[in-house]
Amino acid sequence: MASDSVILVTPRTILRPMKLSDILSVSRAANSAAVAQYMRNRFPSPYTEADAEKWIKGLLAKERPCGFAIADPKTDEVIGGIGIELGKDVDFRSAEFGYWLGEDYWGKGIMSEVGKAFAEWVLKNIRVTSEYEAGKEFTLTRLFASVLDGNDGSRRVLEKSGFVLEGIMKRGAYKHGKVMDQWIYAITQED
Ligand SMILES: CC(C)(COP(=O)(O)OP(=O)(O)OC[C@H]1O[C@@H](n2cnc3c(N)ncnc32)[C@H](O)[C@@H]1OP(=O)(O)O)[C@@H](O)C(=O)NCCC(=O)NCCS
């Protein structure tokens, strides 16, 4: 059921833009305290249909959405999300990498295959511009991810996707009443 808008096909998933008809499947997959545990606080928990609608509408309103659905190729149902957030100013060739998968799909190697494929796709295909260098387009030079202490599965996904541990931001994050370290992983490419 893959459509023309599919950006990537992995052995068990397709990656494609989110659409409004995904509201139900996004809220179903995302509505889990276990999924939200190591995400940013802006990832809601509980995750309602209204939250999914807001998120998807926000993506669709962007000129070039950088967030995508991870979907089941047979049913087109969303099983997770993946995307990048572009940096600004001198960080404009740098982007933060983020992802989540519905709990039913954990532990099957799915994010390892998706993470690696998507990182390669982003570094090859995404072009960025700087407001300080008019008329020029650039590739990204750096993708990075910040993993909260305890999220060992995510650290492993990043390692298997070619990211390298650069350091630990000690006591950099606060979530659920707890101060936590953040593990910084990155993958870089030449011009
Ligand atoms: C983190 C997450 C994406 C992992 O996805 P996944 O598809 O289950 O991961 P995989 O099955 O590809 O496993 C990747 C590796 O991590 C290991 N792993 C997975 N979960 C683990 C856990 N809880 N603890 C330790 N290792 C774990 C696997 O054994 C595998 O390593 P291996 O190949 O060396 O055996 C998924 O658990 C998730 O969506 N979590 C909630 C959202 C989140 O935390 N996102 C990342 C924010 S930085």
Side-chain angles (χ1 to χ4, degrees):
M1 223 181 265
S3 74
D4 291 348
S5 58
V6 169
I7 61 155
L8 254 179
V9 178
T10 75
R12 288 169 291 175
T13 73
I14 53 170
L15 268 58
R16 58 159 177 78
M18 291 274 184
K19 46 194 185 200
L20 276 178
S21 54
D22 293 326
I23 288 172
L24 196 59
S25 57
V26 167
S27 63
R28 205 183 290 139
N31 187 25
S32 147
V35 172
Q37 183 180 8
Y38 295 113
M39 296 291 282
R40 294 282 161 95
N41 281 329
R42 67 173 184 235
F43 190 92
S45 183
Y47 198 115
T48 64
E49 285 178 41
D51 293 320
E53 183 175 354
K54 191 170 159 206
W55 169 247
I56 294 168
K57 281 188 172 162
L59 283 176
L60 297 178
K62 292 193 174 166
E63 199 180 319
R64 278 177 49 201
C66 286
F68 298 93
I70 304 170
D72 179 329
K74 293 193 198 90
T75 61
D76 202 37
E77 188 172 335
V78 178
I79 63 167
I82 193 159
I84 56 166
E85 198 166 306
L86 297 173
K88 294 192 178 97
D89 204 286
V90 291
D91 300 321
F92 80 99
R93 295 187 73 181
S94 190
E96 184 166 5
F97 194 67
Y99 44 80
W100 62 272
L101 203 58
E103 213 179 328
D104 290 349
Y105 304 92
W106 290 8
K108 303 176 202 289
I110 292 178
M111 196 53 86
S112 298
E113 77 185 37
V114 170
K116 187 172 191 322
F118 184 65
E120 286 168 2
W121 182 88
V122 165
L123 291 174
K124 188 162 173 236
N125 291 286
I126 295 292
R127 296 288 179 274
V128 290
T129 54
S130 163
E131 58 184 302
Y132 301 101
E133 298 229 16
K136 279 196 199 167
E137 279 202 338
F138 300 85
T139 52
L140 288 170
T141 52
R142 171 182 169 84
L143 274 182
F144 72 97
S146 164
V147 183
L148 290 178
D149 214 11
N151 196 356
D152 297 345
S154 186
R155 290 182 49 199
R156 188 76 191 110
V157 163
L158 290 165
E159 285 161 6
K160 291 176 76 182
S161 301
F163 286 68
V164 173
L165 178 64
E166 291 189 329
I168 303 170
M169 297 208 299
K170 302 295 278 182
R171 296 176 60 78
Y174 178 88
K175 180 153 182 168
H176 293 155
K178 218 175 124 196
V179 175
M180 280 184 277
D181 296 345
Q182 292 164 290
W183 297 66
I184 306 301
Y185 283 84
I187 188 167
T188 60
Q189 75 173 344
E190 303 299 318
D191 274 320

